[in-house]
Amino acid sequence: MRPAQALIDLEALRHNYRLARRLGGGKALAVIKADAYGHGAVACARALEAEADGFGVACIEEALELRRAGITKPVLLLEGFFDAAELPLIVEHGLWTAVASQWQVDALAAFRTEAVLTVWLKLDSGMHRLGLSVEEFRAAHARLSALPQVGPMVLMSHFARADELDSARTQEQVDTFARAIDGLAGETSLCNSPALLGWPQVRSDWVRPGLMLYGADPLYPQPSPHAAQLRPVMTLQSRVIAVREIGVGEPLGYGARFVAEKPTRVGVVAMGYADGYPQFAPNGTPVLIDGVPGRLIGRVSMDMLTVDLNDHPQAGLGSVVQLWGNAPTLSELAPRCNTSAYRLPCSLKRAEKVYL
Ligand SMILES: *Cc1c(COP(=O)(O)O)cnc(C)c1O
């Protein structure tokens, strides 16, 4: 069997959830959209269900996958519904919905049901992606509060630059939020992972951790005392399936991106960009070879990549090569490959997921 595997440590996931909840000081919605950032939404929801206050997903398809798997905890549609036709399903499955655009307010007002919906009303406090302006927000709050089909609302907003600890923007967004909710009834929800880890002065009733649940540090390389407590959840690994010796001046792999300057022992590893490993990882990208730091050489191909075994005399056929996990971490690897710690696990494909 092909040895490419993503080992997923569900105890580490629970540890990170508890840390997020403790830092937030209130309730925590575990964000498991995009198949839990590639970690498997159903498995992650099951692992967290006993203690999570709720789950956040991107769309009703993701929510229904959780319900079909027997998850009964609250599930919030972070972008709300895409079409008023989803509203009966939202009621049927007891989902929570964000309301982030004026047309969604209108659709909700026109929707007839015996049920009482939980609505997270979203303010655009400065990101300018989704959310209502301050005036629209206050008007929508008044209008929705008067509707029998709308229950207590959670007042939410989302930060654009919380990962930049020296940016004034996050505090400006907090101030805009405070102005918008002044005098309005409802719990509040502000913090994503970077805000939880980097902005302890920002507080709300609900936090919405995503990336940090999976053990990646969104503030890297800025120092962050809490991020040091995160435990990586996914370890991507495979094995050496062939060993080659190449002479001085000989090229390796597609495009001869690596040319040997000395006799080089090369390990061929069953892992490629079709598994989600970044195609443009440069020569020298760190890997672990049987637990010892080593480096990638040559261009990553669809199903294979190559590593330098010169400093690993003990390594050979069958050696375990770790591509990310406790080392290199997603946060260390991402900037070297011109990508982000968010995107790396989201790209996971084909490699077998093994839950620990
Ligand atoms: C994805 C998402 C989050 C989680 O963000 P992280 O940076 O991964 O913690 C929180 N809130 C909303 C609205 C989101 O869409």
Side-chain angles (χ1 to χ4, degrees), residues 178-247:
R179 205 153 37 79
I181 69 165
D182 186 39
L184 302 187
E187 293 180 326
T188 54
S189 175
L190 283 174
C191 291
N192 54 3
S193 300
L196 263 170
L197 293 165
W199 297 84
Q201 65 278 35
V202 178
R203 282 287 163 263
S204 58
D205 298 306
W206 283 87
V207 294
R208 306 187 306 270
L211 186 70
M212 69 178 288
L213 295 180
Y214 311 103
D217 173 9
L219 301 179
Y220 181 89
Q222 302 159 110
S224 138
H226 299 304
Q229 298 173 57
L230 294 171
R231 281 167 49 187
V233 172
M234 186 189 293
T235 299
L236 185 67
Q237 66 172 39
S238 189
R239 287 182 187 271
V240 173
I241 58 167
V243 177
R244 289 282 173 284
E245 305 265 354
I246 62 172

Side-chain angles (χ1 to χ4, degrees), residues 109-306:
F111 179 52
R112 295 286 166 261
T113 176
E114 296 294 299
V116 177
L117 282 89
T118 297
V119 167
W120 288 44
L121 190 62
K122 185 165 184 177
L123 174 75
D124 174 9
S125 58
M127 180 156 179
H128 302 328
R129 191 180 57 179
L130 283 184
L132 303 167
S133 70
V134 172
E135 296 70 34
E136 287 174 328
F137 182 85
R138 294 187 67 86
H141 188 277
R143 185 165 169 215
L144 295 178
S145 298
L147 296 174
Q149 67 269 36
V150 176
M153 274 174 275
V154 177
L155 315 176
M156 75 181 289
S157 196
H158 193 52
F159 293 126
R161 298 177 66 180
D163 57 334
E164 299 171 54
L165 297 181
D166 55 1
S167 166
R169 193 60 177 164
T170 297
Q171 189 57 49
E172 288 168 17
Q173 288 197 253
V174 171
D175 295 342
T176 302
F177 184 71
R179 205 153 37 79
I181 69 165
D182 186 39
L184 302 187
E187 293 180 326
T188 54
S189 175
L190 283 174
C191 291
N192 54 3
S193 300
L196 263 170
L197 293 165
W199 297 84
Q201 65 278 35
V202 178
R203 282 287 163 263
S204 58
D205 298 306
W206 283 87
V207 294
R208 306 187 306 270
L211 186 70
M212 69 178 288
L213 295 180
Y214 311 103
D217 173 9
L219 301 179
Y220 181 89
Q222 302 159 110
S224 138
H226 299 304
Q229 298 173 57
L230 294 171
R231 281 167 49 187
V233 172
M234 186 189 293
T235 299
L236 185 67
Q237 66 172 39
S238 189
R239 287 182 187 271
V240 173
I241 58 167
V243 177
R244 289 282 173 284
E245 305 265 354
I246 62 172
V248 175
E250 286 298 317
L252 172 63
Y254 287 121
R257 194 184 67 182
F258 176 87
V259 178
E261 285 172 1
K262 54 183 178 183
T264 301
R265 216 170 137 247
V266 175
V268 181
V269 182
M271 178 69 68
Y273 62 80
D275 298 291
Y277 189 81
Q279 181 179 11
F280 301 112
N283 293 331
T285 298
V287 299
L288 280 191
I289 302 170
D290 286 335
V292 179
R295 65 180 191 132
L296 176 121
I297 51 175
R299 197 192 282 178
V300 174
S301 16
M302 188 179 288
D303 313 310
M304 286 173 273
L305 55 78
T306 39

Side-chain angles (χ1 to χ4, degrees), residues 60 83-94 111-113 115 117:
I60 197 156
D83 188 312
E86 293 171 21
L87 284 166
L89 277 174
I90 288 173
V91 167
E92 180 186 345
H93 295 278
F111 179 52
R112 295 286 166 261
T113 176
L117 282 89

Side-chain angles (χ1 to χ4, degrees), residues 5-50:
Q5 289 184 326
L7 311 180
I8 294 172
D9 180 350
L10 296 172
E11 193 48 50
L13 178 74
R14 283 187 285 264
H15 164 90
N16 298 332
Y17 177 80
R18 288 176 201 135
L19 176 65
R21 203 169 186 280
R22 198 161 65 241
L23 291 175
K27 290 180 275 190
L29 192 83
V31 177
I32 56 170
K33 63 191 179 191
D35 203 26
Y37 296 37
H39 294 66
V42 167
C44 290
R46 285 191 177 134
L48 291 173
E49 175 144 52

